[in-house]
Amino acid sequence: MTTRLGRRPRLAVAGVLTAALVAAPATAMAGGTSELQHEVDAVVAAGATSATAEISTADRRVRASSGTAVAGSDRPVPANARFRIGSETKAFLATVVLQLVDEKQLTLDDTVESLLPGVVPDGDRITVRQLLNHSSGLYEVLATMPNPRSKELLKIRWNTWTTAELVARATAYPLVFTPGSRVQYNNTGYLVLGLIVDKLTNSSYADQIERRIIRPLRLTGTSVPGTDPFVRGPHAHGYLPLQRNGAVELVDITTVNPSIMNAAGEMISTTRDLNRFFGALLGGELLPAHLLAELKKTAHNSQYGLGLISRSLSCGTAWGKDGDAPGYSTWTFVSPNNTRRVTVSVTWGTGNHKAAVNALLDKELCR
């Protein structure tokens, strides 16, 4: 079966390493005194194996990295490192769907049944908009799988899954709630959207993401890997922190068949590319104004738009997306005034790094 196209141990994490700072268009140069450097150091000190952040403005890019590319070593995180972006994939897929809306190939009010007859039970009650904003009521596909942070994941890390197979697993269960009645984050809806794109374009959602977004924006470090288990190019390793013999051990999960994440989370990218994509999307380069407005419409006072989420900051509301894939977590947001884009990539360790990441995002997006 094939398809196309989430208390630091002393022995696992070496000390904080030197940063790479870069001002566009120059290449990386050594440095370690910037505020951004201190912020990514704090993320690693909180328990991440590595952390990289990049800030982009109209005329400058600044990047800083901390931690190690390989746990237990002194290898620095490579410049322009690639990493799994998990659910940030949803923003790419949602953009393709909205471009198809702009081309009159579907509408946000079309039902799943009208687009994929017989594929999704109760599909006549679920609209495209509800798939996009997590109000479909579909059963969560991840609930049919081992916890992505558990050792059971290791038993299926090489399995190949088609989008249709994953949708069938989830839709074997009844709806969790009446479509449109509330919001609950849902990966299954994006798998269904992948099938819709496949059907309407007579090609794969991966091909459409590549043709419509990756190539036009020249996102040279971004890919939709399908079943390829490797992170191609420079990268830091991703780890699962697992309890073994009464202690926490980091298990390398860098190589994994990404088809398990599929249309909801399989992509690989870089800090530079993600800042470029989200800046272009929210800056109106990829969608007309009326669909950009739809992108930011939320349901039931939730934070979820169509493929994006809002983030409350001390200076206002930012838009972007976060994502987890086994061993990796990523955040990309655009500042409330649309002048700064910030991406943070973290490889998992054994501590809780989220507070440090939240502090970094708030500080850097509110400058």
Side-chain angles (χ1 to χ4, degrees), residues 15 44 53 63 69-70 106 123 125 135-136 151 162 195 207 237 244 254 257 288 303 325 334 352 355 359 361:
V44 170
R63 183 195 304 117
V70 178
L106 78 163
R125 304 168 61 192
S135 65
S136 70
K151 64 181 179 181
T162 67
L195 292 178
D207 289 340
H237 287 225
R244 289 186 173 177
T254 310
N257 188 324
Q303 69 182 127
V334 177
N352 189 341
L361 289 170

Side-chain angles (χ1 to χ4, degrees), residues 210-264:
E210 289 167 359
R211 183 175 74 81
R212 294 169 177 269
I213 301 173
I214 294 175
R215 289 201 292 268
L217 294 182
R218 299 179 181 177
L219 307 182
T220 56
T222 300
S223 62
V224 193
T227 59
D228 184 349
F230 300 102
V231 180
R232 305 286 179 177
H235 62 275
H237 287 225
Y239 297 92
L240 290 182
L242 301 178
Q243 287 281 345
R244 289 186 173 177
N245 301 319
V248 178
E249 178 182 347
L250 294 182
V251 177
D252 197 315
I253 192 71
T254 310
T255 54
V256 62
N257 188 324
S259 67
I260 192 172
M261 296 172 280
N262 218 278

